[in-house]
Amino acid sequence: MSPASSQQEKKILPAPDYDEYLTQWASLYEGTNYNSGLTGYFLQKSHEWAEKDWDEQKHFGKVLEVGAGTGIHINYIRHSFDQYVMTDLNPPFMDQIALDNSKNPDKISTAVEDATKLSYPDNSFDRVIAAHVLEHLPKPHEVLQEWARVLKPGGTLTLVLPCDPGLLWRLGRYAFARQNFIKAGIQYDYWMAREHINPINNLVSFTQHFFPQVKEKWLPFGVPLIDVNLFYVAHITL
């Protein structure tokens, strides 16, 4: 049998088109993830929990948000700021950012940035926020150092991460989010396998290794166990 004939007998499906997936995912992201049922409730709570440590009395001069997506997190910011830069690498998401109803639209800007290799100089920001980002990025140990690079001494890095593949997170995914996206035509299991590439235990280990001054929160139940919580929030002071 010739090599050509052997190849023709192999039944291997092609990988789904990434750009098509990204456009479809962006169009469904807020409505399917944030605006329906328990999935939406707890995802919104993850952003709220991340900002509970501050109120309007706290001030961060320059704030950078990496992987801002459709701009959800800024709705939960309670502290004041002079400049807030929302960045993402994917235009289909950023096209949905609406600043008209923001408290300080004149202080907010957007930029296309690769979160793994930022264009900003060292010591540029007083706070860096990464909400539901690090689980998606290759070489997260290097990405954490990149985010720390652009922070000023004494600055704060905030991480919000899903406790994936913890038991409670997987139960929630299969009971709610997965069904919604499959109904919308997304090949959910395939894309989650490609997107959520870093398990929470590894990300917590990297965080604890690099940053001795880290305030951790395990939510919603508070005990530092992956299987019984949905989210891990870390405020890191450099």
Side-chain angles (χ1 to χ4, degrees):
M1 184 181 292
S2 69
S5 299
S6 178
Q7 275 297 113
Q8 289 172 358
E9 290 182 0
K10 291 181 180 178
K11 297 184 182 298
I12 302 174
L13 294 176
D17 183 82
Y18 181 74
D19 291 334
E20 180 181 335
Y21 149 75
L22 197 63
T23 300
Q24 189 178 11
W25 184 267
S27 69
L28 297 168
Y29 185 73
E30 279 198 45
T32 305
N33 254 351
Y34 281 88
N35 298 333
S36 62
L38 282 176
T39 299
Y41 172 79
F42 279 110
L43 280 171
Q44 290 183 53
K45 290 295 289 186
S46 71
H47 296 275
E48 179 184 327
W49 285 327
E51 297 303 322
K52 287 190 72 172
D53 290 67
W54 298 291
D55 56 24
E56 62 277 0
Q57 302 302 316
K58 178 65 177 178
H59 183 79
F60 289 100
K62 292 182 65 177
V63 181
L64 172 68
E65 185 181 349
V66 295
T70 57
I72 291 166
H73 190 82
I74 197 169
N75 298 319
Y76 298 88
I77 295 291
R78 306 198 303 166
H79 62 73
S80 60
F81 53 82
D82 298 322
Q83 182 182 1
Y84 192 111
V85 185
M86 304 167 68
T87 68
D88 202 286
L89 191 59
N90 300 307
F93 282 89
M94 297 195 73
D95 289 344
Q96 298 183 52
I97 294 177
L99 301 179
D100 296 342
N101 297 323
S102 302
K103 295 178 182 178
N104 302 291
D106 56 318
K107 298 181 179 180
I108 304 169
S109 60
T110 62
V112 176
E113 285 280 341
D114 182 345
T116 70
K117 191 176 182 181
L118 298 167
S119 67
Y120 303 104
D122 297 356
N123 308 323
S124 294
F125 294 93
D126 299 285
R127 187 183 182 200
V128 173
I129 303 168
H132 302 287
V133 179
L134 194 59
E135 66 270 25
H136 298 276
L137 303 178
K139 298 183 179 180
H141 57 296
E142 296 181 3
V143 176
L144 285 169
Q145 295 176 75
E146 171 67 358
W147 294 345
R149 178 187 68 78
V150 300
L151 270 173
K152 298 176 182 178
T156 297
L157 169 61
T158 295
L159 306 176
V160 183
L161 299 168
C163 290
D164 186 10
L167 178 61
L168 190 59
W169 177 268
R170 283 186 286 126
L171 284 173
R173 167 187 285 178
Y174 276 86
F176 300 102
R178 181 176 183 271
Q179 300 304 319
N180 292 335
F181 280 104
I182 288 176
K183 288 178 182 177
I186 296 283
Q187 298 183 51
Y188 186 82
D189 294 335
Y190 174 89
W191 288 113
M192 285 302 97
R194 277 188 59 173
E195 292 283 353
H196 279 216
I197 59 176
N198 299 311
I200 183 61
N201 52 304
N202 288 359
L203 298 178
V204 172
S205 295
F206 291 142
T207 300
Q208 293 174 342
H209 172 81
F210 287 117
F211 308 111
Q213 296 186 35
V214 53
K215 180 180 179 181
E216 299 176 315
K217 293 190 286 187
W218 296 84
L219 301 155
F221 295 113
V223 292
L225 295 173
I226 292 167
D227 286 323
V228 300
N229 287 287
L230 292 171
F231 304 105
Y232 169 83
V233 175
H235 296 304
I236 298 156
T237 302
L238 297 188

